[in-house]
């Protein structure tokens, strides 16, 4: 099973590392008593972000004001620092999910059974195959005794985890929850299974151009792997311990298409209703949203279904920019929402949107700015991140700059 601090082998991540900034940076969980913690670089700290132009609204929804129920992001990856914290570990939970579970352990166990018999199966076969073990092992290593489980909703997994984690905090069941998704399925069984589903791109002669969301010549997704994890915390607790707040989680929603195992609904109802519910949960009007990190897997049906659903919710998309992270790092499956939440937060804190690469011949139905091929500067007012999974699972989370 992939480590929570696993990396994603992609040009995007490598480029970030070469330039000295990391997409997945530890932002420092520190004890309430502690006043300071040295940080190597300030280059990634949030900048003051001006809100984009907001159109007049008849009745704007009310956002959460209670600091016990406001959820902030105070970190984007773990390191071992949690082990030495002096905080109440019974109030810190772990909610890291995966779509496939320990596929390597499972495949190895089956191979041992077939070739050598049951006596040669590793005793770790079952423990390392089940989906909850990532969260469990992290808790065992660090002593975190709060809510702990995993969610498995295919490629929507990480967003489901963020949504559930926020609700635990809002109900007062935890102060901090480490939440996200992880996946390591690039192996014969995993790749072969998606080939059998006819979900993968066959552009093997140009692999670097294979993932091309919204392009007329897209033919399937490219598999990726890794993990994306956020440290989610109540605003009250974060302020009390002097945490460096990166961004704010405003809300989210989950729905089901109730339609087909792999195909999206043609009318986009499940997706559009999920976006609408996420805005309602966040106290945000559609006019306030000016950035969308789309699911955009580069599949024929999925890409346009998502765009059509987005256009149902946002009647005027002239000020919205939308990009597809998977164009550069592939589809991380259960980790995808975690990776893309981090990309969304980076857009908020830096004021830059990464491009959607491999945009050569855009579908005419896509009338939203997809940030084609070249990054763009953009001050994010409110950003949403979409994730959808086999089984018709839909999930949307909403982030914004932190404003006291």
């Amino acid at each position: 099973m992939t480590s929570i601090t696993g990396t994603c082998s992609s040009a995007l991540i490598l480029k970030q590392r070469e330039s000295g900034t990391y997409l997945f940076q530890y932002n420092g969980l520190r004890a309430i008593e502690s006043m300071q913690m040295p940080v190597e670089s300030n280059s990634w700290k949030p900048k003051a972000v001006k809100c984009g132009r907001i159109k007049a609204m008849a009745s704007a929804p009310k956002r959460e004001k209670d600091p016990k129920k406001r959820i902030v992001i105070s970190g984007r990856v773990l390191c071992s620092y949690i082990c030495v914290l002096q905080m109440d570990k019974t109030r810190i939970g772990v909610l890291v999910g995966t779509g496939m579970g320990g596929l390597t352990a499972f495949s190895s166990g089956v191979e041992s059974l077939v070739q050598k018999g049951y006596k040669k199966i590793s005793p770790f076969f079952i423990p390392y195959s089940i989906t909850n073990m990532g969260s469990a092992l992290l808790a065992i290593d660090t002593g975190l005794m709060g809510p702990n489980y995993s969610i498995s909703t295919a490629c929507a997994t990480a967003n489901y985890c963020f949504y559930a984690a926020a609700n635990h905090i809002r109900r007062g069941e935890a102060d901090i929850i480490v939440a996200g998704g992880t996946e390591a399925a690039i192996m014969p069984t995993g790749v072969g299974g998606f080939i059998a589903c006819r979900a993968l791109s066959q552009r093997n002669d140009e692999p670097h151009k294979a993932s091309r969301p919204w392009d007329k010549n897209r033919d399937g997704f490219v598999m990726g792997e890794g993990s994306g994890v956020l440290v989610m915390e109540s605003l009250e607790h974060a302020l009390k311990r002097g945490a460096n707040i990166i961004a704010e989680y405003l809300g989210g929603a989950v729905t089901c298409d109730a339609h087909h195992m792999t195909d999206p609904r043609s009318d986009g109802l499940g997706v559009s209703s999920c976006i609408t519910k996420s805005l309602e949960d966040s106290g945000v009007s559609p006019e306030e949203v000016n950035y969308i990190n789309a699911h955009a897997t580069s599949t024929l049906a999925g890409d346009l279904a998502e765009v059509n659903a987005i256009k149902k919710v946002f009647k005027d998309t002239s000020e919205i920019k939308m990009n597809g992270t998977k164009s550069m790092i592939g589809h991380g499956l259960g980790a995808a929402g975690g990776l893309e939440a981090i990309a969304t937060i980076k857009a908020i804190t830096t004021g830059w949107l990464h491009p959607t690469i491999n945009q050569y011949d855009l579908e005419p139905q896509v009338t939203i700015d997809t940030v084609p091929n070249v990054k763009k500067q953009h001050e994010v007012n409110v950003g949403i991140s979409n994730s959808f999974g086999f089984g018709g699972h839909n999930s949307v989370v909403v982030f914004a700059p932190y404003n006291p």
Side-chain angles (χ1 to χ4, degrees):
M1 186 173 291
T2 300
S3 164
I4 288 181
T5 53
T7 59
C8 179
S9 56
S10 68
L12 172 65
I13 306 303
L14 293 176
K15 183 176 180 181
Q16 291 285 335
R17 288 178 175 170
E18 289 166 3
S19 65
T21 59
Y22 287 74
L23 185 59
F24 310 110
Q25 285 181 309
Y26 170 72
N27 188 49
L29 275 172
R30 59 178 180 271
I32 293 173
E33 304 89 297
S34 301
M35 298 303 295
Q36 294 183 342
M37 179 177 283
V39 179
E40 292 182 2
S41 170
N42 294 323
S43 61
W44 55 270
K45 284 188 177 179
K47 301 176 182 178
V49 179
K50 296 181 180 178
C51 294
R53 180 165 61 89
I54 306 302
K55 298 179 181 178
M57 294 167 284
S59 58
K62 292 183 180 180
R63 293 193 191 175
E64 182 62 65
K65 299 296 183 183
D66 186 347
K68 293 181 179 179
K69 295 183 178 180
R70 287 179 66 182
I71 312 298
V72 295
I73 308 303
S74 56
R76 286 166 285 190
V77 80
L78 273 313
C79 54
S80 57
Y81 286 109
I82 288 185
C83 298
V84 297
L85 294 181
Q86 300 302 312
M87 288 187 285
D88 182 357
K89 295 181 183 179
T90 66
R91 301 281 301 168
I92 304 176
V94 184
L95 217 172
V96 177
T98 175
M100 307 282 283
L103 200 57
T104 298
F106 185 84
S107 297
S108 297
V110 172
E111 185 177 357
S112 295
L113 174 65
V114 172
Q115 295 183 355
K116 303 175 183 178
Y118 74 93
K119 290 186 178 180
K120 296 299 182 180
I121 296 176
S122 167
F124 295 105
F125 170 48
I126 296 298
Y128 279 0
S129 296
I130 54 181
T131 61
N132 65 299
M133 196 52 63
S135 288
L137 288 175
L138 177 58
I140 291 167
D141 288 344
T142 58
L144 304 183
M145 298 175 66
N148 188 300
Y149 56 99
S150 71
I151 293 174
S152 183
T153 48
C155 307
T157 290
N159 277 4
Y160 269 72
C161 290
F162 296 142
Y163 177 70
N167 289 335
H168 279 298
I169 295 171
R170 286 172 172 170
R171 291 194 298 263
E173 297 165 358
D175 298 319
I176 299 174
I177 293 193
V178 178
T182 183
E183 202 79 81
I186 299 181
M187 54 172 299
T189 305
V191 175
F194 281 108
I195 290 174
C197 289
R198 299 185 178 180
L200 298 187
S201 169
Q202 298 181 47
R203 200 178 301 275
N204 297 318
D205 54 334
E206 293 181 304
H208 56 293
K209 296 182 179 180
S211 183
R212 46 175 69 192
W214 305 303
D215 189 85
K216 285 184 180 179
N217 296 308
R218 68 193 181 281
D219 68 335
F221 70 80
V222 174
M223 284 182 66
E225 63 178 18
S227 61
V229 173
L230 299 178
V231 179
M232 304 178 71
E233 184 170 4
S234 72
L235 175 60
E236 180 184 62
H237 191 266
L239 292 175
K240 186 176 179 181
R241 71 183 184 88
N244 183 22
I245 296 172
I246 302 172
E248 184 165 1
Y249 168 94
L250 297 182
V254 297
T255 65
C256 183
D257 278 356
H259 170 66
H260 190 269
M261 284 195 297
T262 58
D263 291 343
R265 289 179 65 116
S266 59
D267 60 6
L269 179 61
V271 172
S272 61
S273 65
C274 192
I275 295 173
T276 298
K277 290 174 183 293
S278 75
L279 299 183
E280 291 172 353
D281 184 55
S282 304
V284 168
S285 68
E287 293 82 1
E288 292 180 88
V289 177
N290 67 346
Y291 170 57
I292 299 171
N293 188 292
H295 185 59
T297 59
S298 188
T299 57
L300 290 172
D303 285 11
L304 290 184
E306 180 179 11
V307 168
N308 291 336
I310 288 170
K311 290 163 74 173
K312 283 185 180 179
V313 178
F314 303 100
K315 304 304 182 183
D316 180 3
T317 58
S318 60
E319 296 189 26
I320 293 178
K321 296 193 186 303
M322 171 179 74
N323 57 6
T325 303
K326 295 179 183 72
S327 67
M328 293 188 288
I329 66 172
H331 191 350
L333 309 177
L339 298 167
E340 288 156 14
I342 293 172
T344 303
I345 291 169
K346 288 291 287 186
I348 289 171
T349 61
T350 64
W352 284 92
L353 304 183
H354 72 69
T356 304
I357 63 171
N358 300 325
Q359 296 270 276
Y360 303 109
D361 193 2
L362 192 65
E363 288 277 10
Q365 290 176 249
V366 184
T367 56
I368 307 171
D369 183 351
T370 61
V371 195
N373 301 315
V374 179
K375 68 178 182 179
K376 287 186 179 179
Q377 204 161 11
H378 185 61
E379 292 183 343
V380 178
N381 180 53
V382 174
I384 69 172
S385 180
N386 298 339
S387 287
F388 317 122
F390 281 1
H393 302 292
N394 306 308
S395 58
V396 179
V397 288
V398 184
F399 298 100
Y402 166 65
N403 292 310

